[in-house]
Amino acid sequence: MTVLAISISIPAAKASSTDMNSDKEPTLNTHDVEKAFSLAQDILTNYYQVTDIGTEEFAGKPFDTSLLDSDLSKYVEQKIKTKQYVTKAGDAEKENYTLKFTVLSFEVTKEGVFLSISTEATFNYIGLKVESGFGEISNMFFKDTGEGFTLTDWYMPYQYYDEFVRGVVDNSSQLFPNSTSADSNFSALVNSNFSRLQEELHDNVVKNLFSTDQLAPEQETDSAEESTHETPSVNATLRSLNKKNIVTWARNNIVVNPKSGNGVVPYYDFSKINNAWDCTNFVSHALLAGGAVVYDTGGTGISSTGWYYRSTSNRSSSWTGVPNLHAFLTGNRTKGPVGTSITYRTFDWFGTRPYEAGDVMQFYLSGSYNNWRHSTIITEFYEVGSTPNHVGALVTGRSAAGSYNNNQKAHTIYAGDAKRVIKLSGYYN
């Protein structure tokens, strides 16, 4: 039986935000913020019930669109259809499900209320005792119609579906460039490509959900992938990484503010930079926790060589870039971690194991992005379907505060797109 527990958190009102259409600041109405958050909680609970839990208790339960405007309703209903398919076909039904909602920020304008909300879910996949979960962020704008609030836009930054269809949007109030005008609703953002991209994504998921040998289009691969292998250093010695420590660090640092992977290199959350993710920085620190040493080539600015971090403006591109880390790890022959790239696939546990816990997995995003987008750590395994001893990977990663993967089934993340594993060989020192 599914247990759905919910907790909520909202920060105390501090200050009002500026109304861009007026010289005056709107009076901050705490009651309006609380009311909008209450509505958001109802919408989000309903959304996760019908898309994510997937048990008989909620099977066939319709999504309540009464609080959404008509254009947004059509978009969300198609999104739910795709996510329901992934849950059911991907054997990702869940139990012991809990949800926690936290308001990260809010803005009151004369037109309504903008909320940025973190949803944290914990659960067990049915038949799997390992604790799993995720964090997702919802940016939601509730328009005051005079008769109540209506949700007119809802974007989930760092979430595969919205990025595929709508593109990568700045994780801030810039999501709603007209949020203080009378036209602040989803229909103002809709274009003719939305429906086509939604259909394309759904068809791609249905066709390729279990195609674990799917390759990314070579012509759309980032130029950072084209680096040549270095000449092996005569003084380089290959040493082993502690992959158990890599897993432990990743599992311990997804929800809290991450700590340094080695106590020396400072941890900076790269999601604080507009249009940036923290995922590859998180993986780099996990590799430090496994014993990897940095390879500081002494460059200035954002260097295309080595693997190191000194500051946000003085580091290697491989420290934070998804394709750049892949290029460094697979081409490194001098200093720092090294690995071999393979296409992700499930395998027989008692046969040759192509990868193991502590290795790196990366995900491709097609649609509007068309490049390698997300880096994670393989942290557990699970039996795939009804075939004994045939296993797939559970992965853990962090995109931002409130946005993370916690032992999630790899094929349900970036469903329908290519995935690759970087099998770590060790590190040179």
Side-chain angles (χ1 to χ4, degrees), residues 133-260:
F134 61 80
E136 290 187 334
I137 295 172
S138 289
N139 288 341
M140 310 174 83
F141 187 76
F142 288 88
K143 184 177 180 179
D144 185 0
T145 65
E147 299 179 353
F149 283 123
T150 297
L151 183 63
T152 58
D153 200 355
W154 175 10
Y155 179 82
M156 302 176 79
Y158 315 106
Q159 204 263 7
Y160 174 53
Y161 193 98
D162 283 2
E163 281 202 321
F164 184 103
V165 178
R166 299 180 60 173
V168 180
V169 178
D170 181 10
N171 183 20
S172 71
S173 58
Q174 290 182 25
L175 168 63
F176 309 101
N178 299 312
S179 63
T180 54
S181 75
D183 294 327
S184 60
N185 53 46
F186 187 76
S187 60
L189 300 174
V190 170
N191 60 62
S192 60
N193 289 329
F194 273 29
S195 295
R196 177 185 61 80
L197 286 170
Q198 285 192 281
E199 292 176 3
E200 178 184 327
L201 174 56
H202 185 79
D203 291 344
N204 193 38
V205 168
V206 171
K207 178 181 179 182
N208 296 315
L209 181 60
F210 295 104
S211 297
T212 53
D213 59 347
Q214 184 184 3
L215 299 176
E218 291 184 6
Q219 69 274 18
E220 294 171 349
T221 301
D222 190 275
S223 59
E225 298 284 16
E226 299 175 0
S227 66
T228 58
H229 285 194
E230 297 179 354
T231 302
S233 169
V234 294
N235 296 320
T237 300
L238 184 64
R239 301 186 183 278
S240 297
L241 286 167
N242 188 325
K243 294 187 179 180
K244 182 178 180 180
N245 285 356
I246 292 175
V247 171
T248 299
W249 186 93
R251 299 279 289 117
N252 287 342
N253 284 275
I254 50 170
V255 178
V256 299
N257 293 325
K259 63 181 181 182
S260 169

Side-chain angles (χ1 to χ4, degrees), residues 271-296:
S271 68
K272 295 178 180 180
I273 301 174
N274 287 342
N275 298 320
W277 284 34
D278 194 49
C279 61
T280 306
N281 175 54
F282 181 84
V283 167
S284 288
H285 276 274
L287 300 187
L288 289 181
V293 297
V294 299
Y295 179 18
D296 191 334

Side-chain angles (χ1 to χ4, degrees), residues 366-382:
S366 52
S368 63
Y369 192 75
N370 283 327
N371 207 340
W372 292 96
R373 183 61 168 147
H374 190 39
S375 300
T376 61
I377 298 294
I378 297 171
T379 45
E380 280 281 358
F381 296 94
Y382 71 99

Side-chain angles (χ1 to χ4, degrees), residues 125-137:
Y125 290 108
I126 293 177
L128 190 63
K129 294 182 180 180
V130 174
E131 180 183 288
S132 296
F134 61 80
E136 290 187 334
I137 295 172

